[in-house]
Amino acid sequence: MTKEMKTILLVEDDKSLNKIITMKLENAGYCVVSRETAEESLLYLDKELPDLVWLDIYLPGMDGFEFLEKIRGNPKTKDLRVVVVSVSGSNRKIELAEKYGVVDYFVKSNYRIDELISSVTKIINGHSG
């Protein structure tokens, strides 16, 4: 019996970071759909629903909070599991993210990429933390 490959939508505008995270997630056995803008991500979500969204807050054009507002306002995407991974972790931003029902909020500088991958793996497989 093979387990179905889980899909992660990665929304990260930093090209090199996007590439590294994609590679590491794929090596961990996930199907990764990589997008650099919220707008591109919304177009993808019109057609497909991933198991998890890895979301950066600082994006060109529409930011991560506007993206969260849009997906939470859409009946098709309102229950998507979202993990925020951002350079900024002010209390206000974390509270706003929690208001939008994110599963977790990680400040990039506090974690190595491998630690983030491990945390996301636990979340996507149904374990919290």
Side-chain angles (χ1 to χ4, degrees):
M1 183 171 95
T2 59
K3 68 175 188 160
E4 188 182 322
M5 187 180 277
K6 300 208 183 231
T7 301
I8 296 174
L9 171 60
L10 171 63
V11 190
E12 169 61 65
D13 65 312
D14 180 310
K15 286 182 180 6
S16 59
L17 194 54
N18 187 309
K19 202 173 202 170
I20 292 165
I21 295 167
T22 297
M23 184 187 70
K24 289 187 175 277
L25 286 170
E26 287 174 345
N27 287 344
Y30 297 103
C31 173
V32 180
V33 176
S34 166
R35 298 292 184 266
E36 293 180 7
T37 69
E39 292 85 351
E40 291 171 339
S41 301
L42 289 172
L43 290 173
Y44 168 76
L45 291 174
D46 279 344
K47 298 176 197 77
E48 300 287 332
L49 287 179
D51 295 286
L52 185 87
V53 178
W54 175 312
L55 177 66
D56 185 14
I57 291 298
Y58 291 108
L59 297 166
M62 180 190 303
D63 73 16
F65 290 119
E66 292 173 87
F67 174 78
L68 281 168
E69 191 174 335
K70 288 205 179 302
I71 66 170
R72 293 304 185 226
N74 180 336
K76 182 181 165 192
T77 57
K78 69 179 177 58
D79 295 325
L80 274 177
R81 291 190 293 173
V82 178
V83 173
V84 170
V85 184
S86 181
V87 293
S88 173
S90 71
N91 288 339
R92 192 183 71 73
K93 284 191 173 69
I94 293 169
E95 285 169 15
L96 187 55
E98 286 173 352
K99 184 185 114 183
Y100 286 119
V102 302
V103 178
D104 215 331
Y105 193 115
F106 298 97
V107 178
K108 289 177 185 171
S109 59
N110 294 349
Y111 299 91
R112 293 189 335 269
I113 289 179
D114 291 335
E115 292 173 315
L116 292 170
I117 303 290
S118 175
S119 295
V120 166
T121 296
K122 287 179 186 155
I123 291 166
I124 204 169
N125 290 319
H127 311 291
S128 59

